[in-house]
Amino acid sequence: MKIGFIGLGNMGAPMAANLAKTGHDVTGFDTAGVSVKGVNKAETAPDAVRGAEAVITMLPNGDILRAVADQIIPHMEKGAVFIDCSTVDVDSARAVADQAEQAGLLAVDAPVSGGIGGAAAGTLTFMAGGSDAAFAKAAPLFEIMGQKAVHCGAAGAGQAAKICNNMILGVTMIATCEAFALADKLGLDRQKMFDVVSTSSGYSWSMNAYCPAPGVGPQSPADNGYKPGFAAELMLKDLRLSQQAAESADADTPMGQIATALYEQFVEAEDGKGMDFSGMLPRFEKRGRS
Ligand code: NAD
């Protein structure tokens, strides 16, 4: 298949490389002039998408996605599929899908989970929103870049699933970290804390699979000086998207709101920028009640 790929950053570059490795004819464009092995380099975004049956975008945010969509949609072939894998706000995802459909294209919003490691290994999970026909056309590409793709519903449903998932993740990570810090102050051994909670009703992915306490549980960024992993500023981005969506849908999300405020403080006023999002634990360790 002839594929255009826009946004060859930490995630996009390995995703495009994996598509090229399986014999697809991939042409990429990135404003930073990035070259990726096996991927043809275009000089402009329209050059990357002309004649392509599928176009994938992997961009930083909704405003950039909207700007890129304006640039490329007029140059895409009718019937081609526009697959946006960036994490963006639900409103931008829906607006771009609308614009693509009005131009005779198929559209899927398909944010991913699995991070840079999953992108390189081709083991991402895709959460997709769009019509059945659009999903069917994109599915073989999801299979190459990932291990699972869930068709969540109409346009925007993929982004909705992603931000709801990550709102739960942000909240449970904070709860896990503050509970470890409390356990420390109560004189409870961290290994015992893990042994109990990971097999009791307080268990979660944050505790069981990504334990924020070094030397306890499975290998995680905590065992590597809290080097990301999943950076605290990316968690903040996703939490902000969850609150933006909650505003526009008039949903009450008090825990999501508190998690957003805490990650904001951690990243913007403390030393959290560049740290894994589980670095909340050393933050709580240093603090008292006031
Ligand atoms: P990144 O900053 O490494 O890559 C984004 C790329 O887009 C950059 O190379 C940039 O030069 C390029 N770009 C910006 N504006 C452009 C434009 N107008 N035209 C063409 N290219 C342009 O970011 P990333 O880590 O690859 O993340 C991409 C998306 O994936 C984000 O929405 C992020 O939230 C999401 N995501 C990231 C991770 C992760 O672990 N990094 C995990 C899941 C989802």
Side-chain angles (χ1 to χ4, degrees):
M1 198 189 270
K2 194 165 159 25
I3 301 169
F5 206 115
I6 317 269
L8 302 166
N10 290 320
M11 296 292 290
M15 290 163 72
N18 282 337
L19 291 170
K21 256 190 243 159
T22 55
H24 288 294
D25 176 11
V26 186
T27 302
F29 173 74
D30 190 297
T31 40
V34 185
S35 297
V36 178
K37 195 162 171 263
V39 175
N40 312 309
K41 190 171 169 179
E43 290 306 318
T44 67
D47 285 348
V49 307
R50 265 189 210 100
E53 287 166 71
V55 170
I56 302 175
T57 47
M58 194 52 169
L59 296 162
N61 61 48
D63 288 342
I64 294 177
L65 169 66
R66 285 177 192 247
V68 168
D70 286 341
Q71 280 183 301
I72 62 175
I73 285 175
H75 301 280
M76 283 177 64
E77 297 269 306
K78 292 229 177 322
V81 61
F82 184 144
I83 307 166
D84 175 47
C85 294
S86 332
T87 303
V88 301
D89 56 288
V90 177
D91 292 341
S92 293
R94 288 188 177 141
V96 165
D98 232 31
Q99 190 181 347
E101 278 162 11
Q102 277 173 27
L105 306 173
L106 297 164
V108 189
D109 56 289
V112 302
S113 157
I116 298 165
T123 56
L124 294 168
T125 295
F126 290 85
M127 307 150 222
S131 67
D132 288 343
F135 181 75
K137 184 141 186 177
L141 304 182
F142 295 151
E143 246 169 63
I144 295 166
M145 297 183 287
Q147 60 183 357
K148 192 176 170 68
V150 180
H151 188 190
C152 300
Q159 297 296 349
K162 166 89 187 174
I163 57 173
C164 288
N165 179 74
N166 281 21
M167 187 172 82
I168 295 172
L169 177 61
V171 169
T172 55
M173 181 54 81
I174 291 170
T176 305
C177 291
E178 70 181 31
F180 263 118
L182 170 61
D184 288 348
K185 294 198 176 181
L186 297 175
L188 182 62
D189 178 72
R190 284 185 167 181
Q191 183 62 51
K192 303 292 177 204
M193 165 83 174
F194 176 82
D195 291 346
V196 171
V197 176
S198 65
T199 54
S200 300
S201 44
Y203 85 87
S204 69
W205 187 86
S206 297
M207 175 60 86
N208 292 37
Y210 205 92
C211 183
V216 176
Q219 272 290 116
S220 71
D223 300 306
N224 190 22
Y226 295 98
K227 206 167 148 267
F230 184 44
E233 57 268 29
L234 288 180
M235 173 49 85
L236 176 59
K237 172 191 170 183
D238 292 357
L239 284 167
R240 281 181 169 148
L241 290 176
S242 76
Q243 294 315 289
Q244 194 179 332
E247 270 298 318
S248 92
D250 189 28
D252 188 20
T253 55
M255 301 303 286
Q257 210 169 342
I258 292 172
T260 309
L262 271 172
Y263 273 104
E264 202 164 80
Q265 190 178 332
F266 185 46
V267 168
E268 291 177 355
E270 300 168 358
D271 59 355
K273 191 159 196 288
M275 236 177 162
D276 187 75
F277 82 119
S278 61
M280 275 279 167
L281 175 52
R283 172 189 185 275
F284 279 118
E285 271 168 29
K286 291 185 224 122
R287 298 172 66 91
R289 192 103 185 117
S290 55

